[in-house]
Amino acid sequence: AYQQLTDLTARGERDIKFLIEVAPLIAHRVSRKMEENSRDKIIEIAIKNGVLPYSPVCLACFSALYDDVHGKAASIGRKLLKPKPNYTEADAYNAISDLRHIELAAASNAMFENEPFALCTADQGLAEFWSALKIQGERTPDNLLELHYCLSTDLLPRLMQKEINELAEILQLPQT
């Protein structure tokens, strides 16, 4: 578990580089006809930067990509990441810090499974992301931590459940 925590720094640096590159692609709503191209570009950038396509940072980007098509409300990912064309390292650092808060909360929940646990935040996007992903930490037999989550229409409002399942396959999202 300690090694996983020390690895967060290197992973954070990769996630920041990834977000700086991807944010301009999702800064504005993407048309339905450009979704597939944008999805593939996000996956390509993730892989190039050593980021898992099904990691929380990527899922937040997909949430922004698959925003409500009518633009009635910002998606959870858009609220969390706050993407813009000139996304800075500070913007990315802030978003990654929020995501790490969720990951560490899930990991803590797994480590202290017999203790009551709650995520407390005033950040609406963060709370909605936690709830939409149904994120859970689990201890493996060799005492490592794994995160599990589910994709939903709350997270990806433009997609139907069939499309969400297809996206999960494309991303190779581990099954819970």
Side-chain angles (χ1 to χ4, degrees), residues 94-165:
N94 186 50
I96 296 304
S97 294
D98 287 346
L99 288 167
R100 287 303 173 267
H101 182 89
I102 287 177
E103 290 179 30
L104 292 174
S108 298
N109 195 26
M111 294 302 291
F112 306 107
E113 56 196 33
N114 296 325
E115 299 295 323
F117 187 84
L119 174 68
C120 300
T121 180
D123 185 320
Q124 184 180 358
L126 187 65
E128 288 177 5
F129 193 71
W130 170 272
S131 296
L133 274 182
K134 298 174 182 63
I135 194 165
Q136 295 180 340
E138 181 181 322
R139 218 189 274 193
T140 64
D142 52 351
N143 213 30
L144 296 175
L145 298 171
E146 288 183 353
L147 297 179
H148 299 281
Y149 20 77
C150 301
L151 301 183
S152 67
T153 54
D154 290 335
L155 186 68
L156 307 159
R158 192 183 295 190
L159 302 183
M160 304 297 290
Q161 191 58 51
K162 181 180 182 229
E163 294 169 306
I164 290 172
N165 295 343

Side-chain angles (χ1 to χ4, degrees), residues 40-128:
D40 293 345
K41 186 72 175 162
I42 291 169
I43 293 169
E44 176 187 318
I45 293 168
I47 291 167
K48 179 182 87 173
N49 284 285
V51 175
L52 293 172
Y54 56 82
S55 66
V57 67
C58 282
L59 296 179
C61 290
F62 289 121
S63 177
L65 172 65
Y66 295 115
D67 234 349
D68 176 71
V69 73
H70 303 293
K72 293 180 183 171
S75 70
I76 292 169
R78 191 167 297 282
K79 289 177 192 175
L80 183 67
L81 300 175
K82 301 169 187 70
K84 54 189 178 183
N86 56 344
Y87 208 68
T88 66
E89 187 173 341
D91 296 323
Y93 182 85
N94 186 50
I96 296 304
S97 294
D98 287 346
L99 288 167
R100 287 303 173 267
H101 182 89
I102 287 177
E103 290 179 30
L104 292 174
S108 298
N109 195 26
M111 294 302 291
F112 306 107
E113 56 196 33
N114 296 325
E115 299 295 323
F117 187 84
L119 174 68
C120 300
T121 180
D123 185 320
Q124 184 180 358
L126 187 65
E128 288 177 5

